[in-house]
């Protein structure tokens, strides 16, 4: 429990991380585990970067690496709501964790599926007690909302990596990967009335893992930081070739960064709709950034970050994990 000078103790924010690890998902999970301001209640997994069997295995392996096998893992949706599965081994490697070299985990997921568990958790906890951090396709949350619409009012908020406007798409000309994989799920969440913060490509493309920033992480010299540098180096190769950058963008960890250090970020409340019908624009996030329609704002759209400060703080936190 944290305290501030002259004030009462502040309880850590309780979060559930819904994820498809993925190297950048892994860094986000490790950052959350290293941060006393957050309590990770569970990790729920979904098909995305790789199939759900592998994302679940990767989540278990990461918790073992961090010495946090007390945190349960719940395997979730194996495919999108209405589309064939799409994955990204061309970016993340066949296991989703190229460069990690993690041993086979002994930790196993719980017997109950992710969506069912989410409904049970949210119904038994006080209203507003749980924040959901979505790092992959939103299939699990959409399934939970479809089966139990009453849980929407019980969720403190959703902080998600997803969408793009200024940056176009990274999987099609118009769509960001998470929203493209399951646009119908993203649309359900965006229409749920839950307070939503989106960290799209518009901001993640401002947080590049340059050689200088990776060198600072490498200098820590722990098994965790060594693994992070290897993973980000493996993932970087794709984005270096695609965009001509010095390194890859650090997408998913910005969600945890926003929870920890919101003062590093800026954005705008606006309406975001997800395209589900037009073939050329499937999964596109249509962002009314300048309020030119009468659509009611439904998200805080983050579009900038102090990336130097973020990498500095990330390095400090990763150093806390042996």
């Amino acid at each position: 429990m944290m305290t501030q000078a002259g004030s009462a103790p502040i309880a850590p924010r309780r979060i559930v991380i819904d994820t498809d690890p993925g190297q950048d998902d892994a860094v986000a999970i490790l950052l959350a585990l290293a941060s006393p301001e957050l309590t990770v209640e569970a990790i729920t997994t979904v098909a995305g970067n790789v199939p759900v069997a592998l994302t679940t295995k990767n989540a278990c392996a990461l918790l073992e690496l961090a010495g946090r096998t007390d945190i349960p893992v719940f395997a979730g949706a194996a495919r999108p709501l209405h589309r064939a599965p799409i994955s990204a081994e061309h970016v993340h490697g066949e296991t989703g964790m190229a460069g990690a070299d993690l041993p086979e985990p002994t930790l196993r997921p719980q017997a109950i599926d992710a969506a069912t568990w989410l409904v049970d958790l949210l119904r038994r906890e006080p209203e507003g007690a749980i924040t959901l951090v979505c790092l992959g396709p939103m299939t699990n949350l959409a399934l939970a909302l479809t089966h139990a619409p009453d849980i929407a009012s019980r969720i403190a908020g959703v902080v998600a990596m997803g969408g793009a406007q200024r940056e176009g798409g990274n999987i099609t000309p118009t769509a960001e990967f998470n929203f493209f994989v399951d646009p119908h799920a993203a649309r359900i969440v965006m229409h749920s009335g839950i307070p939503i913060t989106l960290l799209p490509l518009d901001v993640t493309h401002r947080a590049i893992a340059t050689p200088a920033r990776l060198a600072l992480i490498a200098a820590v010299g722990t098994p965790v930081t060594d693994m992070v540098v290897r993973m980000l180096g493996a993932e970087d190769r794709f984005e270096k070739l695609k965009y001509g950058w010095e390194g890859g963008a650090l997408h998913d960890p910005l969600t945890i960064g926003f929870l920890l250090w919101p003062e590093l970020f800026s954005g705008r409340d606006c309406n975001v709709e997800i395209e589900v019908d037009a073939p050329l624009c499937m999964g596109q996030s249509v962002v009314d950034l300048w309020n030119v329609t009468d659509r009611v704002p439904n998200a805080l759209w983050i579009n900038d970050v102090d990336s130097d400060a973020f990498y500095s703080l990330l390095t400090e936190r990763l150093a806390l994990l042996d």
Side-chain angles (χ1 to χ4, degrees):
M1 187 168 292
M2 301 174 294
T3 59
Q4 294 179 345
S7 63
I10 301 173
R13 185 193 299 257
R14 299 171 65 193
I15 66 172
V16 173
I17 300 178
D18 189 57
T19 179
D20 60 337
Q23 294 100 328
D24 56 331
D25 302 71
V27 178
I29 291 168
L30 293 171
L31 175 57
L33 296 177
S35 299
E37 301 94 332
L38 304 175
T39 296
V40 181
E41 297 289 326
I43 293 178
T44 57
T45 61
V46 65
N49 288 322
V50 288
V52 72
L54 287 174
T55 63
T56 303
K57 176 182 174 182
N58 293 340
C60 291
L62 286 165
L63 289 174
E64 287 191 351
L65 172 72
R68 293 301 309 272
T69 55
D70 57 304
I71 297 174
V73 175
F74 297 87
R79 58 177 297 131
L81 296 181
H82 303 298
R83 285 159 56 80
I86 300 164
S87 55
E89 288 88 351
H90 62 292
V91 179
H92 299 279
E94 291 300 314
T95 68
M97 295 279 283
D101 303 324
L102 291 174
E104 188 76 19
T106 58
L107 181 64
R108 294 291 180 264
Q110 303 295 304
I112 190 172
D113 71 275
T116 300
W117 178 80
L118 275 174
V119 172
D120 291 345
L121 172 75
L122 293 165
R123 282 178 169 170
R124 73 171 178 264
E125 293 294 337
E127 185 174 315
I130 303 295
T131 297
L132 302 182
V133 181
C134 295
L135 308 181
M138 293 179 168
T139 317
N140 289 331
L141 179 52
L143 286 169
L145 289 167
T146 299
H147 292 295
D150 59 287
I151 66 171
S153 63
R154 307 190 65 80
I155 299 171
V158 169
V159 179
M161 191 274 129
Q165 186 203 41
R166 180 187 62 237
E167 293 295 303
N170 62 351
I171 187 69
T172 74
T174 59
E176 176 274 328
F177 178 81
N178 288 339
F179 284 4
F180 181 72
V181 169
D182 200 342
H184 300 88
R187 190 168 192 237
I188 287 171
V189 175
M190 296 308 301
H191 285 205
S192 67
I194 302 168
I196 297 170
T197 299
L198 291 178
L199 291 103
L201 299 183
D202 296 37
V203 65
T204 67
H205 281 186
R206 295 181 179 270
I208 305 303
T210 63
R213 288 167 175 166
L214 289 180
L216 291 175
I217 298 174
V220 175
T222 66
V224 169
T225 55
D226 290 347
M227 183 197 72
V228 167
V229 171
R230 289 196 309 272
M231 288 193 304
L232 294 182
E235 186 182 38
D236 279 358
R237 296 187 189 106
F238 174 80
E239 291 189 335
K240 284 178 181 177
L241 289 172
K242 181 175 182 178
Y243 298 110
W245 294 337
E246 292 184 84
L250 200 59
H251 303 285
D252 292 332
L254 291 186
T255 59
I256 303 299
F258 177 81
L259 290 173
L260 296 172
W261 311 297
E263 66 276 8
L264 301 183
F265 297 81
S266 60
R268 185 187 297 268
D269 289 311
C270 56
N271 183 273
V272 180
E273 296 289 340
I274 311 302
E275 178 58 57
V276 298
D277 295 316
L280 287 177
C281 300
M282 182 67 70
Q284 180 178 6
S285 43
V286 182
V287 185
D288 186 7
L289 194 65
W290 302 109
N291 298 318
V292 297
T293 74
D294 59 359
R295 302 199 308 261
V296 177
N298 61 353
L300 173 59
W301 181 264
I302 303 296
N303 54 26
D304 205 359
V305 60
D306 183 339
S307 54
D308 285 331
F310 172 75
Y311 272 92
S312 177
L313 292 166
L314 170 67
T315 302
E316 291 177 11
R317 289 298 170 90
L318 292 177
L320 301 176
L321 295 171
D322 295 329

